[in-house]
């Protein structure tokens, strides 16, 4: 005769809450993010899309260099404009060869500074050894400090120094200040400009 299985009653079953704690070990998602696999997959997909559309695919490194050259060229044009404005402000005859020479040197300097600092998918890590999630914050901190040093110093030399000092220092400082503000987040950029204006007002300086 077959024996019937004795089933437990509901009262005998111990109720417990499910484990809602996160994983204690590194997950596959964390490993993929740590090795930048998602960004690599996106870059590969973009490359395949360009090949499908018949476009010439550039490597991320080439795109990064071209982007840096484009930005640096824009900064060089602004630098040349500042050169002309400074000489015109002091009523001096514009020395075109000197202005072009200083602009060319500034272009090289801006390229060396811009290339490592500007964020790009080919350059997500600024400081090796630090997790990627902190890299953007480090960049923002660098640009914030750059804006708080170049901006007030530009206002200071424009009000206190003579023509030669202003002619040599104002154009590159103006470019660095403008670039750092553009790279900052909106809130950080507004805060930097506000601090500079308050400092200039306390010092009794004028912007015009």
């Amino acid at each position: 005769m077959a024996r019937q299985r004795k089933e437990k009653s509901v009262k005998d079953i111990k109720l417990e809450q499910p484990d809602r704690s996160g994983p204690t070990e590194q997950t596959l998602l964390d490993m993929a993010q740590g090795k930048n696999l998602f960004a690599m997959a996106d870059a590969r997909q973009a490359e395949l899309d360009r090949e499908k559309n018949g476009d010439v695919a550039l490597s991320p490194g080439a795109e990064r260099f071209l982007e840096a050259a484009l930005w640096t060229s824009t900064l060089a044009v602004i630098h040349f404009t500042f050169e002309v404005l400074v000489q015109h402000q002091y009523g001096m005859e514009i020395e075109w060869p000197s202005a072009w020479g200083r602009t060319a040197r500034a272009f090289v300097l801006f390229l060396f500074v811009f290339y490592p600092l500007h964020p790009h998918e080919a350059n997500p890590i600024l400081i090796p050894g630090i997790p990627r999630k902190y890299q953007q914050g480090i960049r923002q901190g660098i640009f914030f400090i750059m804006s708080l040093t170049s901006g007030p110093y530009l206002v200071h030399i424009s009000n206190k120094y003579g023509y030669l000092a202003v002619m040599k220092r104002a154009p590159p400082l103006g470019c660095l200040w403008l670039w750092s503000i553009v790279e900052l987040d909106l809130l950080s950029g507004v805060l930097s400009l506000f601090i500079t204006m308050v400092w200039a007002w306390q010092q009794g300086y004028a912007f015009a």
Side-chain angles (χ1 to χ4, degrees):
M1 182 176 178
R3 299 178 59 184
Q4 294 183 352
R5 182 179 178 182
K6 184 178 180 181
E7 298 182 356
K8 294 182 179 181
S9 63
V10 178
K11 296 181 179 180
D12 296 333
I13 300 176
K14 186 178 180 180
L15 300 179
E16 295 181 354
Q17 292 289 337
D19 186 9
R20 295 187 176 89
S21 61
T24 57
E25 299 180 356
Q26 192 178 30
T27 63
L28 293 177
L29 181 60
D30 296 333
M31 295 175 61
Q33 291 178 344
K35 295 184 178 181
N36 200 22
L37 296 181
F38 293 116
M40 294 172 60
D42 293 339
R44 178 56 180 168
Q45 184 61 43
E47 181 179 352
L48 293 176
D49 293 339
R50 287 193 296 266
E51 292 178 354
K52 183 178 180 180
N53 296 330
D55 299 335
V56 178
L58 296 176
S59 64
E63 290 183 354
R64 178 189 175 192
F65 179 80
L66 290 177
E67 182 178 350
L70 179 61
W71 275 77
T72 306
S73 300
T74 304
L75 290 175
V77 172
I78 297 174
H79 183 281
F80 181 78
T81 304
F82 286 162
E83 284 273 356
V84 175
L85 290 177
V86 169
Q87 297 186 42
H88 179 73
Q89 179 181 1
Y90 284 89
M92 306 295 293
E93 183 179 356
I94 299 177
E95 300 177 357
W96 296 106
S98 300
W100 283 112
R102 285 190 291 269
T103 300
R105 291 192 294 270
F107 173 83
V108 177
L109 176 62
F110 291 152
L111 183 61
F112 276 99
V113 176
F114 184 93
Y115 190 79
L117 288 181
H118 181 69
H120 191 273
E121 63 179 10
N123 180 38
I125 305 300
L126 178 63
I127 301 179
I130 298 179
R132 184 179 180 182
K133 61 181 179 180
Y134 299 117
Q135 298 293 329
Q136 180 63 15
I138 294 175
R139 281 190 169 92
Q140 288 291 300
I142 293 175
F143 287 123
F144 190 76
I145 295 174
M146 185 188 301
S147 66
L148 289 182
T149 52
S150 58
Y153 187 56
L154 175 62
V155 176
H156 174 69
I157 66 173
S158 299
N159 286 272
K160 292 295 185 180
Y161 287 20
Y163 163 70
L164 291 178
V166 174
M167 181 184 65
K168 292 180 179 180
R169 301 181 187 181
L173 283 174
C175 291
L176 290 177
W177 189 20
L178 178 62
W179 172 42
S180 61
I181 293 297
V182 171
E183 292 282 6
L184 285 173
D185 296 334
L186 178 60
L187 181 60
S188 300
V190 172
L191 178 61
S192 174
L193 292 175
F194 178 75
I195 293 175
T196 302
M197 292 180 62
V198 171
W199 176 85
W201 176 74
Q202 290 180 344
Q203 298 295 323
Y205 292 151
F207 287 92

